[in-house]
Amino acid sequence: MTTSTETGSTSTATAASAAPAPDTSRELKKGSLAAFRGLMPFLTPYRKQFFLAGIALVVAAASTLAIPAAFKQMIDLGFGGAAGSKSIQHVDLVFLALFGVASILALATAARFYTVSWLGERVTADIRSAVYRHVVTQSPEFFETTQTGEVLSRITTDTTLIQAVVGTSISMALRNVLLFLGGLVMLFVTSAKLAGIIIGLLILVVVPIIVFGRKVRKLSRDSQDRIADASAMAGEILNAMPTVQAFTHEKIESKRFGDSVEGAFMTAMRRIRARALLTMIAILLVFGTIVFVLWLGARAVLEGSMTGGDLGQFILYASIVAGAIGALSEVMGEAQRAAGATERLLELMAVKSEIESPATPLPLPARAANGAALSLNDVVFSYPSRPDTAALDHVSLDIRAGETVAVVGPSGAGKTTLFQLFLRFYDPQSGSIRLDGVDIKQLDLHTLRDAIGIVPQDTVIFSADAMENIRYGRAGASDAEVIAAAKMAAAHEFIERLPNGYKSFLGERGVRLSGGQRQRIAIARALLKNPPLLLLDEATSALDAESERLVQKALEAAMVGRTTVIIAHRLATVQRADRIIVMEDGRIVETGTHASLVALGGIYANLAALQFHHVQINQAEPS
């Protein structure tokens, strides 16, 4: 792909809630060179390769500039001299010299091409890795407002444009600058009068080209933005195909994407028309200037003020200068497109996560035999996307080491938000959370999250085999440990029945598994991690009755020696908890055991009554 992606309006908005997102519709006032300065950290490690490429570049340019001088000698002293062995010998020497220059030119050009191509591939790989490393450290706040399709497009298409610049355009630009300057000097050496005229005219020609080039740059950026819109839309829809097809929206979504692609096409065509017009104007004005000056030179030869060799040399150097200007205008167009891509990548790299490890993190105390203690002290939290709505409102809670606590309540009560804060995906606006007495803000993020295992409600299965999906819980685990975790999670039997057992590929997002099977894989992953704190977010919600019984038994064994916090609606899970926390509107409204809360007659009692009534109705219905 050769197009870039959407500018950083979405990504930069996530850097800090107080920082407004930049307007993607306006052209950034930075020039191409200013944008490319941001690439210096990626270029400086390869100074040696740039130096070697520079040597090859200078040698190739010098060889090219030597060719017209050889032609002058051939014309004036060979064809223009007296016939005889001296002239023949001179011609022989001139052609031998030309062949030698061509050989040097060929070697230098090959060396330059290889070196700069290597640089382009190497720098692009470094940039892609750096951008990906940066993105995966962002907090969920970043992904609330940034489409993953946009990020992926930046990593692929934007870096491809930069690769073209580093691996080709910079080399071409420098080569043609050298040819332009060297040719210009030789034009003055050959005929100062004609050279002065051609320079004056070229200055008049370059000004409108530069002015028109700015419009091309803005259209290039707009085109890249529209491609990014289409890419992000396609990614979103493809990830939701079952829903799209269930609601028979295939034609609607196809039309939406088609309209987006058509908009990108129209924007691209405006860029192409402007680019074509710019190229036409540049070639017409530049070569028109050269033709006019050469006409003057031809008259000078006829008048005897110049030799035929001088005119031939001047023509060749003028051609070199004109070719260099034409190539530079082409390179400038590519550089302008790459500048936009660079700006977007640098915007993405400039996004700073609000959630970072402290400069001097504190260690966690040695793990206790019965798990980790967890406490919340007057925690207030609102999601960045909903700053006026409190997801947690002055919540205080102490969970003892080894305790199993169930959190229940209606949707939107703040149950899952608790888990988000425990893992420090977000920081509360006020209050503190402590793990084994240490404020989690004072812990290294890896230390904190290594101490927590989670089974989310929406299970994530990667495009890998069953063994590697479970091993995701602890990268260094042996096959035997993976299988043991699968057995604890009641996943071993169904995995063994897969075509290749634990080596069976599970498909993208686990499409080859049922919902219950995906959830048991996630439970096995968490058990393999063996953390002191276990978070279960509706861990048995997708299981049938038999699987739930097996998993409940396995979870009970897994809870031994660790602290467990459970979000659950099924009473079979809740009743086994040491304590039940009832939440509503971001507050803890009831606390107690199943029996005490039922006797209280509050929110939990109503939830229990509704569930018992539903169970009784199901049991009463004939099969």
Side-chain angles (χ1 to χ4, degrees):
M1 291 183 287
T2 57
T3 28
S4 196
T5 62
E6 188 174 13
T7 186
S9 61
T10 54
S11 64
T12 49
T14 65
S17 58
D23 182 5
T24 60
S25 64
R26 67 176 177 85
E27 179 184 10
L28 294 180
K29 294 183 179 180
K30 294 182 289 185
S32 297
L33 293 179
F36 289 135
R37 287 194 194 104
L39 296 178
M40 290 307 296
F42 299 100
L43 304 179
T44 49
Y46 307 108
R47 297 185 190 90
K48 178 181 177 181
Q49 287 81 358
F50 277 106
F51 179 72
L52 293 175
I55 292 176
L57 186 66
V58 170
V59 171
S63 300
T64 303
L65 292 171
I67 292 175
F71 271 93
K72 168 184 165 54
Q73 295 294 319
M74 181 182 65
I75 293 172
D76 284 347
L77 301 180
F79 299 149
S85 61
K86 184 177 180 181
S87 296
I88 293 174
Q89 291 174 356
H90 187 79
V91 168
D92 292 342
L93 290 174
V94 167
F95 275 95
L96 283 173
L98 274 175
F99 181 76
V101 170
S103 299
I104 294 172
L105 176 61
L107 290 172
T109 302
R112 176 187 63 83
F113 172 78
Y114 176 83
T115 308
V116 299
S117 296
W118 183 91
L119 283 166
E121 295 290 346
R122 180 69 268 165
V123 170
T124 301
D126 291 348
I127 292 173
R128 283 176 177 157
S129 296
V131 172
Y132 190 80
R133 281 197 307 271
H134 182 72
V135 169
V136 297
T137 63
Q138 298 303 306
S139 68
E141 179 184 351
F142 172 84
F143 297 99
E144 275 188 24
T145 52
T146 304
Q147 292 174 306
T148 54
E150 177 192 344
V151 175
L152 291 174
S153 188
R154 292 191 190 202
I155 293 174
T156 54
T157 58
D158 281 15
T159 50
T160 299
L161 282 175
I162 293 173
Q163 176 185 344
V165 170
V166 176
T168 304
S169 299
I170 290 178
S171 172
M172 287 183 61
L174 292 174
R175 175 179 179 272
N176 284 287
V177 166
L178 290 175
L179 291 178
F180 174 77
L181 295 176
L184 207 57
V185 170
M186 293 307 298
L187 284 177
F188 276 98
V189 171
T190 306
S191 174
K193 176 183 176 181
L194 292 180
I197 294 173
I198 199 170
I199 294 304
L201 291 174
L202 285 176
I203 291 174
L204 295 177
V205 166
V206 167
V207 172
I209 292 175
I210 292 175
V211 172
F212 196 72
R214 292 178 178 175
K215 180 180 179 181
V216 174
R217 182 185 177 198
K218 183 180 184 303
L219 289 173
S220 296
R221 179 156 186 154
D222 290 344
S223 176
Q224 293 155 11
D225 291 346
R226 301 293 76 75
I227 289 292
D229 291 342
S231 177
M233 179 186 296
E236 180 182 10
I237 298 305
L238 290 175
N239 284 331
M241 280 311 298
T243 302
V244 172
Q245 293 175 350
F247 285 90
T248 64
H249 274 221
E250 294 94 334
K251 290 184 178 179
I252 295 174
E253 296 301 343
S254 295
K255 184 178 185 305
R256 282 183 61 213
F257 183 72
D259 292 343
S260 181
V261 170
E262 190 65 23
F265 170 76
M266 296 305 295
T267 305
M269 288 309 301
R270 287 196 296 272
R271 171 181 60 80
I272 291 170
R273 283 194 293 269
R275 183 83 176 274
L277 184 59
L278 175 62
T279 302
M280 182 190 73
I281 292 173
I283 293 174
L284 187 62
L285 293 179
V286 170
F287 279 92
T289 299
I290 292 172
V291 169
F292 172 70
V293 173
L294 292 182
W295 173 71
L296 295 178
R299 292 177 61 88
V301 172
L302 294 176
E303 293 170 356
S305 58
M306 287 183 71
T307 67
D310 286 336
L311 180 59
Q313 178 176 286
F314 192 89
I315 290 172
L316 289 175
Y317 281 125
S319 299
I320 289 174
V321 171
I325 293 175
L328 284 171
S329 67
E330 185 74 17
V331 169
M332 186 58 68
E334 293 298 324
Q336 287 167 346
R337 294 183 65 202
T342 302
E343 287 167 354
R344 281 181 294 280
L345 281 172
L346 293 178
E347 286 170 356
L348 187 57
M349 291 290 287
V351 175
K352 297 298 182 184
S353 175
E354 290 291 311
I355 309 300
E356 294 181 334
S357 296
T360 54
L362 298 177
L364 271 176
R367 178 173 177 174
N370 58 344
L374 188 65
S375 64
L376 293 84
N377 180 33
D378 198 30
V379 170
V380 176
F381 173 72
S382 298
Y383 284 98
S385 57
R386 305 184 297 277
D388 297 329
T389 302
L392 294 178
D393 189 5
H394 297 282
V395 173
S396 294
L397 175 64
D398 288 311
I399 300 175
R400 297 181 299 275
E403 188 177 15
T404 298
V405 174
V407 183
V408 301
S411 298
K415 304 184 297 296
T416 301
T417 301
L418 283 176
F419 283 15
Q420 301 263 25
L421 296 187
F422 292 161
L423 287 159
R424 208 179 163 219
F425 289 157
Y426 300 91
D427 281 335
Q429 280 77 37
S430 65
S432 63
I433 302 173
R434 295 180 176 274
L435 182 65
D436 279 338
V438 182
D439 190 325
I440 63 173
K441 290 184 180 180
Q442 300 302 314
L443 293 172
D444 181 85
L445 286 175
H446 286 183
T447 300
L448 169 65
R449 292 168 185 170
D450 280 343
I452 301 174
I454 183 168
V455 180
Q457 184 174 5
D458 298 322
T459 302
V460 175
I461 301 295
F462 298 96
S463 296
D465 60 37
M467 181 72 74
E468 293 308 314
N469 261 284
I470 297 175
R471 207 194 310 270
Y472 203 83
R474 181 158 52 91
S478 66
D479 289 357
E481 290 174 317
V482 170
I483 293 171
K487 289 179 177 178
M488 289 182 67
H492 177 72
E493 290 187 4
F494 84 77
I495 293 175
E496 284 285 277
R497 289 196 298 268
L498 294 174
N500 297 312
Y502 280 85
K503 295 301 181 182
S504 297
F505 178 67
L506 301 183
E508 186 177 2
R509 293 180 292 119
V511 294
R512 298 183 180 182
L513 301 178
S514 68
Q517 290 172 335
R518 287 197 296 270
Q519 204 139 20
R520 278 180 275 174
I521 291 284
I523 293 170
R525 187 185 294 161
L527 295 177
L528 180 65
K529 190 175 183 180
N530 191 28
L533 175 60
L534 184 62
L535 307 180
L536 305 177
D537 187 356
E538 296 286 0
T540 61
S541 62
L543 303 183
D544 55 53
E546 177 61 20
S547 293
E548 182 184 8
R549 184 185 64 80
L550 294 172
V551 172
Q552 284 291 354
K553 185 176 180 181
L555 287 176
E556 287 175 14
M559 291 175 190
V560 176
R562 76 187 78 234
T563 305
T564 308
V565 183
I566 305 169
I567 294 176
H569 291 295
R570 295 192 182 185
L571 294 182
T573 302
V574 173
Q575 287 176 333
R576 291 181 174 86
D578 298 321
R579 189 160 37 124
I580 299 170
I581 307 296
V582 184
M583 297 190 68
E584 184 179 42
D585 296 330
R587 297 185 181 92
I588 295 176
V589 293
E590 296 175 6
T591 303
T593 63
H594 171 73
S596 66
L597 291 175
V598 169
L600 186 65
I603 295 175
Y604 180 83
N606 291 334
L607 291 173
L610 287 172
Q611 191 165 138
F612 277 132
H613 181 64
H614 177 70
V615 171
Q616 290 169 356
I617 290 175
N618 287 341
Q619 291 175 344
E621 287 180 352
S623 57

